[in-house]
Amino acid sequence: MQSPRRQRARRATTRFPTAADWISLSRLPLGAAAWLRPDDPLYVLALMAVAGATDVLDGWVARRMGGDEAGIWLDPLCDKLFVVSTVAAIWFARTPPIELLPLLVSREIVQTATFALMAVVPRLRPRRGFDLRAAYVGKLATVLQFATVAAILFEHASQTPLAVVTGVVGLVAGAYYARRLFLRRLTA
């Protein structure tokens, strides 16, 4: 394992787009593809499985072959765009109860609010850059989002309880990432 300093130096010399960046970018057409058959549960679940595999693969490739500075923000951005596109497609096709939507995307709401606050109040921006690395609570929120989407796709009775759990874990994950960003500002 390389030291963080060596990793930053290696990323600084790596050109965009790297193989890991291309893998991250592959989630964008997958999100668009959700609009082709959003009422077909197996199709959407297959897209979600492929997107999940690309998320694991891009991190693995970045660690093995070297990532770049763009990959630090590109990977989570592609994740969010995939989620938003897929959830929107499902919502228009299935029309589940609207109160499930904010629960399903609670992490994204907190993260968007955090970045909006940083954009409006420059003094809150971290001096040493953004720390957007995945955390276990974020990965758990993603797994719960996928489980909730599957329950919605199959109109399963568990969709509401799953959405509530997803909302709570999403808020915890969003708060964790916000805290990490703000602490980075305060400790720099």
Side-chain angles (χ1 to χ4, degrees), residues 61-161:
V61 169
R63 286 187 296 279
R64 300 296 182 286
M65 300 175 69
D68 60 351
E69 290 297 320
I72 292 170
W73 58 265
L74 184 65
D75 176 50
L77 176 64
C78 290
D79 290 345
K80 302 301 177 231
L81 292 173
F82 172 79
V83 167
V84 167
S85 182
T86 303
V87 168
I90 292 166
W91 233 266
F92 284 109
R94 294 283 176 161
T95 59
I98 194 68
E99 60 271 9
L100 300 184
L101 183 59
L103 295 169
L104 187 61
V105 295
S106 61
R107 175 185 53 184
E108 286 70 21
I109 292 168
V110 172
Q111 287 178 324
T112 301
T114 300
F115 282 109
L117 186 60
M118 288 179 171
V120 173
V121 184
R123 295 174 68 173
L124 292 177
R125 293 182 197 147
R127 292 182 192 143
R128 293 183 291 146
F130 295 99
D131 184 4
L132 301 174
R133 290 172 294 151
Y136 289 115
V137 68
K139 290 181 183 295
L140 177 59
T142 300
V143 168
L144 288 169
Q145 280 179 324
F146 279 28
T148 304
V149 166
I152 290 168
L153 284 168
F154 288 103
E155 298 174 346
H156 194 272
S158 66
Q159 62 186 338
T160 299

Side-chain angles (χ1 to χ4, degrees), residues 105-114 118 131 135 137-138 141 166-184:
V105 295
S106 61
R107 175 185 53 184
E108 286 70 21
I109 292 168
V110 172
Q111 287 178 324
T112 301
T114 300
M118 288 179 171
D131 184 4
V137 68
T166 300
V168 170
V169 172
L171 288 175
V172 170
Y176 172 83
Y177 289 122
R179 180 179 176 272
R180 192 164 73 181
L181 287 169
F182 290 132
L183 280 179
R184 195 166 172 90

Side-chain angles (χ1 to χ4, degrees), residues 8-85:
R8 281 192 302 276
R10 185 174 174 186
R11 277 195 298 264
T13 60
T14 306
R15 299 209 176 218
F16 175 78
T18 65
D21 296 334
W22 284 114
I23 295 168
S24 293
L25 288 167
S26 73
R27 285 193 289 286
L28 299 180
L30 290 173
W35 288 89
L36 297 176
R37 294 184 4 216
D39 55 344
D40 181 346
L42 296 179
Y43 174 78
V44 175
L45 289 175
L47 288 176
M48 290 169 47
V50 172
T54 66
D55 195 24
V56 171
L57 184 61
D58 66 9
W60 184 86
V61 169
R63 286 187 296 279
R64 300 296 182 286
M65 300 175 69
D68 60 351
E69 290 297 320
I72 292 170
W73 58 265
L74 184 65
D75 176 50
L77 176 64
C78 290
D79 290 345
K80 302 301 177 231
L81 292 173
F82 172 79
V83 167
V84 167
S85 182

